[in-house]
Each structure stands twice: as C-alpha cells, then as structure tokens.
Amino acid sequence: MAKNAKPGTEPAAASTSNFIRSHIEADLASGKYASRTWGGKPGPAAVHQGGAADPAKIRTRFPPEPNGYLHLGHAKSICLNFGLALQYNGICHLRFDDTNPEKEEQEYVDAIRDAAHWLGFDWGTHGYFASDYFGFMYEAAEHLITAGLAYVDEQSADEIRANRGTLTQPGKPGPWRDRTAADSLARFREMRAGKHADGAMVVRAKIDMASPNINLRDPAIYRIRKATHHRTGDSWCIYPMYTYAHPIEDALERISHSLCTLEFQDQRPFYDWLLGKLADGGLLARPLPQQIEFARLNLTYVVLSKRKLIQLVEEKHVDGWDDPRLPTLVGARRRGYTAEGFRMFAERIGVVKSDSWIDYSVLEDCMREHLNESAERRIAVLDPVKLIIDNYPQGQQEDCHAPNHPQKPDLGKRVVPLTRELWIEREDFAETPPKGYFRLFPGNNVRLRYGYVVKCTGCDKDAAGNITAVHCEYIPDTKSGTAGADSVKVKGNIHWVSAQHACAAEVRLYDRLFKTEHPGAGDRDFLLDLNDNARRVITAQLEPVLLDTTAESRYQFERHGYFIADRNDSRPGTPVFNRTVTLRDSWAK
Ligand code: ATP
Ligand code: MG
C-alpha cells in the first residue's frame, strides 16, 4: 500500500483509464520526472541541488483556499489527486493556498484537514501553506523586475482595465511599462515597506499587451493589501496574486502533475511562462510541474459555489456548515454519506475535458451501494400505529430472530421480542385496500417479518374517524424458521416492533435541499428553489437494541432506507437518527 493510504483504503486496482492517467503513464514511460530530486521539504533550486532522487514517482496536490468548508466538488478533486498518487506510487500534498489575507481563517484550515482525513487520505509530513513561500515569491518578483520581465505599474485599476483591450482588440502599453528596472525595483521595495496605499500600484509581468490571450497582457503578480494574514500576521503588506503564487507553490513542492479545473486553461501559458523564466534564472529546478485541466463537478439539485454556501449558512436557511442538508463534506458526513461511497463516486464519474452535469442520483446510488453492503439491518417504525394480536396472551413474550445482514450470515442474528401489542407502519393497513395492496386489510393474511402470519380482523377509530389501532389474530404454526412457516401462503410481509420494548426516538428525514435540478438557473434567485421538505423531524419507534447505539453508527432500517446516529446529538440511551438516503430513488422521472 502506498504512502498516502490509510488502513482500509482500497488500492485503485480496478481503475479505468482516462486522459489524466494516460498522460501520467506517458510521463512515467518517458522518464520525464525520473531525474527530479527531493530535499525533503519544498524549496528553490538551490535547496535541491545534489538532493536525493525523489522517491515518489509523481507528486500531486490538493490546494484548497482556507476560505470556506469543502463541498462535494472538492471531494472529486481530493479523490482524484490522492487517488492518482496512490495508484502511481506517488505522494499527494495538502497545500493551503492562503495568499489572500482577508478571507482566510484557522477554522477553515482545521475543517479542511478533517474532511480530507475523513475521506480516507493522508498526506503524512506533506502538509504545506503557500504563505510559507512568501519570502521566495518576493525574491522571485525582484528577480523578474531586475531581469526586465516585470515592472511596477502606477495606473489606477480602471486605467489598467481600460488599457487591457478586449477579446477582439489588443491592449495598449501603459505609461509605466518601459520604466527602468532600477526604478521599478525601488518602487517595489517601497511597496513592501508599506510606503504606498492599497491599490496605488501593482507589479505586473511584462509579457505582451497584444497577446490574443488576455491573461498574457501583463498580468498583475503583486498587489498592496494592508491586511492581517491568519498566519503571517502583519509581516507583509503586499501579497502575490493567485495566478503568480500557484505555479511557484507547485514548483517549490516539486509537483509533477498540477491538476485544476477547466477555467484555468487560459492561465496555463502564464503558468509555463513564469516557471520557465524562473528556471532560466536559476531560481527553480527543472523538470517543472505541468498544469492539466479537467471538468469540475457539476451536480444537479445542489449548489457548489462557496459564495452560495456561505449565504445559506449566514442567512440561516440551514443550521450551520454541518447541516446534513448542505452539500458540504461535514454535512454529508453527518447525513451518513460514506468516504467509500465518495471514492466510488469519483471513480465512477471519472474525469473528462468538457463541462457536463452529473445527476445527483449517481452520488446517492454510490452511497446506497456501499451502505447496502456495509450497514447492518434494524427495524424502525417511522409512522407508528398499534397492531393488537387479539389471540396472543397478554403478558406473553417470545423471541424472534432477525438476520443482521441478509447477504452476510456471519454477522449473525439478533433477538427481537414479540408481544401482543406491536407498532406497525400506518400505511401497512388499509380499511379498503386499493388494487394490488397486499398488506393488512380486513380478512387478509400477512406475515409479520421474522414472526407469524396474522389475519387482519379490523380496526378501532376515534370520534373523528382516525384509525387508533388495527386488530389481527396470529396463526400459531406459521412462525418464520419453523417447519410450518410456509403452510399459509401470503403476499405481504411487514415489519413491526414490540410496543412494550420499543424505544421512541427522534428521526430526521432528510431529502434533497433543492427541489429543482438546476437551482437558480437563469437569473432566478436560487433560494426560491429550496425544498421546504428537505427535513422532516418525527418520533419513530425503534427496535430495542437501537437504544444503545453510538454516534455515527449506520443501519439500514428495513423497507425505509439508510440511517446514521447523529454525530452531534445522538447518545446511547437517547439515540437520534438521520436518514442518509432512501432505499429507492423517489426523484427519478
Ligand atoms: P474559490 O476559488 O472561488 O474560492 P474553489 O471552489 O475553487 O473556490 P478552492 O479552495 O480554490 O475553492 O478549491 C480547491 C481545489 O478544489 C481546486 O483545485 C479546485 O479546482 C477544486 N475544486 C473546486 N470546486 C470543484 C468542483 N466543483 N469539482 C472539482 N474540483 C473542484
Ligand atoms: Mg479556487
């Protein structure tokens, strides 16, 4: 098992090919990264000269900005980057891309680490912060200025924008473009020393104002921001731009394959330009990392934009970042989604080069598939009504035996007590049965799962006509597992719990957070598409063994779906369950 694996993480043996895997395999075959050295920690060329050959065949990284909680889209990126490192005997770094001082917080750093661990991945000693490279990034900018490859531009933001040109028109050089390197350098040092106000000037790479690629029309690489950074405090009042910082971070960490989403495709020429110039200047070592783009995950029925997620939390449409309705990874975890399910999902959707939508049911099916295999079965009555077995003696009790997992007999059976009064689902009785209804109605025989066949005899009603109890008589020789079990044929089979033994518990029935496939499509306010029925809280009657459930235990409640004991609110003695997913897709059209 490779370094990034935690026990229990399966190797990516059954992986299917895709364009990224083909790319990596071609690089491995040509030995492109074989000469790379690794000094143990990230650093510029000098650190690596004479360093040991890099033991990792490839290096990838997951580079979140610590400005929010991770969502389902990030899970794709995490599984991809860590999964490739596992498959190709490489290493995947966890790097916090914390180059923007204003929006970043330690709370997010901790939550991101937790989420990545929870998904089953480990970066060992390879956890990094982009802010650790601020010193190098500054030196590199001085180098570019000195070499005539960057300059300080004192135009206002509006002027810079106006001179940048458009998709059809080339840009125009501004008045500061041809100032001397010495002049630019002096200004840059003043910027660093705090002598200028935010926005007064920026450093720009000097490339080509007429380039057909707007990203090459002298992109900004440094700006003034007098803000306190969550790690470097007030040491800096200038900060590198993301497009400048990111390639350098990759190069210092000796990343081989830098995977990112498609919107960065037009940035790739700058990525290559920058690293090439710094390598030419001896600041970075070759072979350099290469950027490869893939389509981001777009999922129906959710929003995967940090801005919208923050809005849902701040405006209290949900109860915090870990609300089980939210498509964050902490929310998904509380909802009962599994790391194995996410890894299966990532493998199943694969990576492609053009944007497309994945139906939410694909993710739900992966969760069902893993839970079907891994979750033990239990019985819960979610909408209880009494069933009274009139010919069963009051005070009598007997054991029935229910398998913990139908496909795994080695998991054994547990005892469920049968008594005269049971809880059954209200919908399992119909006074006048619709066509094709095989459950309880007067005169019909039904099996009480793991127990006897009963004949329904009628029901009690209150003054308003509501059914308050259902009556039946059991047929003594028909107990499941005995010789006479099949002596009476039935078409219906219902679940039940002994009323005397059952434990009443809070159960939260979660459903999709949005009621439409593309929330907020067009100009519509996405909040209008919220599904008001995404959470329903009920009191259910559970079989007695569930009373002592520990938090985060998962079960299939027979005939209902998969449930998890809530991470925050469930305690042995007072369990609280969340519905993860129903047994079948009720959204299919
Ligand atoms: P922003 O940059 O607007 O804050 P972001 O979603 O890109 O938002 P990052 O923290 O930069 O957030 O993302 C970390 C990594 O996750 C990036 O490499 C990014 O490409 C990847 N990522 C983000 N959203 C998705 C998605 N929907 N599908 C696949 N990968 C994603
Ligand atoms: Mg981003």
Side-chain angles (χ1 to χ4, degrees), residues 61-78 80-81 95 97 103 112 242 246 259-264 294-299 304-307:
R61 84 288 172 266
F62 174 64
E65 192 180 345
N67 62 353
Y69 280 73
L70 297 183
H71 56 59
L72 306 181
H74 295 116
K76 170 175 176 172
S77 180
I78 293 175
L80 178 63
N81 281 292
R95 180 205 309 144
D97 213 325
K103 293 193 235 147
I112 290 169
Y242 176 84
H246 201 90
L259 312 179
C260 64
T261 41
L262 285 177
E263 64 272 23
F264 292 100
F294 65 95
R296 63 187 298 111
L297 173 64
N298 294 315
L299 255 189
L304 296 180
S305 129
K306 280 184 187 165
R307 189 180 54 74

Side-chain angles (χ1 to χ4, degrees), residues 258-333:
S258 174
L259 312 179
C260 64
T261 41
L262 285 177
E263 64 272 23
F264 292 100
Q265 196 157 2
D266 291 344
Q267 295 286 358
R268 183 166 11 112
F270 178 65
Y271 186 105
D272 293 338
W273 179 92
L274 176 65
L275 296 186
K277 296 297 182 201
L278 294 178
D280 292 347
L283 278 80
L284 293 174
R286 295 182 197 274
L288 294 167
Q290 53 189 326
Q291 176 180 306
I292 303 171
E293 307 88 14
F294 65 95
R296 63 187 298 111
L297 173 64
N298 294 315
L299 255 189
T300 59
Y301 294 97
V302 293
V303 292
L304 296 180
S305 129
K306 280 184 187 165
R307 189 180 54 74
K308 289 179 180 166
L309 294 176
I310 287 175
Q311 191 181 345
L312 288 169
V313 172
E314 285 183 349
E315 294 178 5
K316 303 204 186 319
H317 300 287
V318 292
D319 299 337
W321 287 104
D322 65 349
D323 188 303
R325 290 168 291 182
L326 216 53
T328 52
L329 291 179
V330 274
R333 176 176 177 176

Side-chain angles (χ1 to χ4, degrees), residues 428-446:
D428 283 342
F429 172 76
E431 209 177 357
T432 34
K435 197 164 176 284
Y437 188 89
F438 299 121
R439 290 168 278 166
L440 293 167
F441 56 87
N444 193 38
N445 288 334
V446 167

